[in-house]
Amino acid sequence: MNNNFFKECSSEIEGMAKSDGLLKQTNMWFTLANEFKYSYHFTWQSRPIIQYPQDIVAMQEIIWEVKPDLIIETGIAHGGSLIFSASMLAQLDMCEAIESGKMLDPKKSKRKVLGIDIDIRAHNREAIEAHPMSSRIEMIQGSSIDPDIIAQIKAFAANYSRVLICLDSNHTHDHVIAELNAYASLTSVGSYCVVFDTIIENMPENMFPDRPWGRGNNPKTAVREYLKSHSEFEIDKSIQNKLLITVAPDGFLKRIK
């Protein structure tokens, strides 16, 4: 594709990031949409994904760029995100097979998605395991910050060379900083550790009255603390500047060394 196209896009994205009026309207829309549980209304291949479409597109771009052989996700819920990640890995397999001219067994792949959740409900597990993408998915039930679970995940990850991390379980500061300390180091250089729901810090203080997180106690505060002592990561602001609408502002952490 013509490099001038990307140069124009870059300039336009930079302009959006500097537009106070656009950012104000975006934040206003985000707050209003959240009142209607906007992110709950989308599916990926029939499974609820509980993500904003803009973030789904961003993850597609990241997976295509990184080409991971392992995606680790904390938080499973209905399994839509696992199915999405598995389907993206299947596309990578298909494209590589086309380019190499080799035959592909769609039920066998070196690439995997590993999902962790403290409570994988039976009906969700059954739906995930019945899905055509299930051969690429492994699940572990337990707290993502339990030492035994961390040990299992690190042992699993040792067999892979290109790892992408997605943190989207309990959104309290203490939990997310514990997840970052446990898993961020597994991120391959050039890949990402994506911390979802950093947007909580930007939302009205009364937005989450029934949850243990809120302003001053959320994924973004954990990211800020983590980055103080981890210069191997930097926030890729180009992603949030492009999306505008994202639950992960300052949450797209790229490992640079």
Side-chain angles (χ1 to χ4, degrees):
M1 191 176 291
N2 192 317
N3 285 336
N4 288 333
F5 174 84
F6 289 108
K7 289 181 180 178
E8 289 177 9
C9 286
S10 180
S11 177
E12 291 158 354
I13 291 168
E14 184 178 349
M16 289 194 302
K18 294 178 179 178
S19 172
D20 291 338
L22 179 56
L23 295 177
K24 182 179 179 180
Q25 291 296 320
T26 299
N27 291 337
M28 184 182 300
W29 179 91
F30 201 108
T31 300
L32 291 173
N34 192 67
E35 294 178 3
F36 297 92
K37 293 187 175 180
Y38 178 84
S39 63
Y40 283 72
H41 306 155
F42 304 95
T43 62
W44 189 268
Q45 296 182 0
S46 82
R47 295 306 299 160
I49 191 169
I50 314 182
Q51 292 288 359
Y52 277 56
Q54 294 83 351
D55 287 321
I56 297 172
V57 172
M59 290 307 302
Q60 174 272 142
E61 292 185 352
I62 288 172
I63 292 170
W64 183 255
E65 174 190 338
V66 173
K67 294 180 171 51
D69 53 8
L70 175 63
I71 300 176
I72 298 173
E73 301 190 13
T74 64
I76 292 176
H78 297 275
S81 183
L82 295 183
I83 301 299
F84 164 77
S85 293
S87 69
M88 286 302 304
L89 297 185
Q91 287 189 50
L92 292 177
D93 287 343
M94 177 66 74
C95 289
E96 288 178 359
I98 291 170
E99 291 171 348
S100 67
K102 295 181 179 179
M103 294 296 293
L104 172 68
D105 184 343
K107 290 186 177 180
K108 295 181 180 179
S109 176
K110 65 181 180 181
R111 294 185 164 100
K112 293 290 182 182
V113 183
L114 177 59
I116 307 95
D117 200 296
I118 197 168
D119 180 19
I120 306 174
R121 297 179 180 178
H123 65 280
N124 288 329
R125 181 186 287 276
E126 290 172 5
I128 294 166
E129 291 177 343
H131 196 279
M133 289 291 114
S134 63
S135 64
R136 290 174 167 79
I137 296 171
E138 299 286 343
M139 292 180 283
I140 297 176
Q141 179 164 296
S143 171
S144 59
I145 60 173
D146 180 279
D148 290 339
I149 299 296
I150 293 171
Q152 289 182 52
I153 294 166
K154 288 186 174 181
F156 191 96
N159 298 313
Y160 297 87
S161 59
R162 197 74 174 156
V163 181
L164 173 68
I165 307 290
C166 299
L167 304 181
D168 192 12
S169 58
N170 185 316
H171 301 317
T172 64
H173 175 100
D174 288 346
H175 188 90
V176 177
I177 195 68
E179 285 188 330
L180 284 165
N181 287 326
Y183 304 117
S185 63
L186 300 177
T187 309
S188 306
V189 175
S191 185
Y192 288 79
C193 177
V194 182
V195 183
F196 286 94
D197 288 289
T198 51
I199 191 66
I200 294 169
E201 181 70 3
N202 303 355
M203 302 294 281
E205 292 187 17
N206 62 349
M207 184 62 71
F208 308 100
D210 59 340
R211 300 299 178 94
W213 50 76
R215 279 192 183 177
N217 174 25
N218 56 69
K220 183 178 281 190
T221 61
V223 166
R224 288 171 179 167
E225 180 178 328
Y226 185 79
L227 292 181
K228 289 177 182 178
S229 57
H230 291 274
S231 61
E232 69 270 27
F233 286 94
E234 68 177 13
I235 298 170
D236 187 346
K237 286 187 177 287
S238 68
I239 298 176
Q240 66 195 59
N241 290 345
K242 173 169 55 178
L243 298 178
L244 291 180
I245 296 171
T246 174
V247 303
D250 292 353
F252 293 96
L253 308 183
K254 186 172 186 177
R255 185 160 190 179
I256 57 174
K257 60 183 178 180

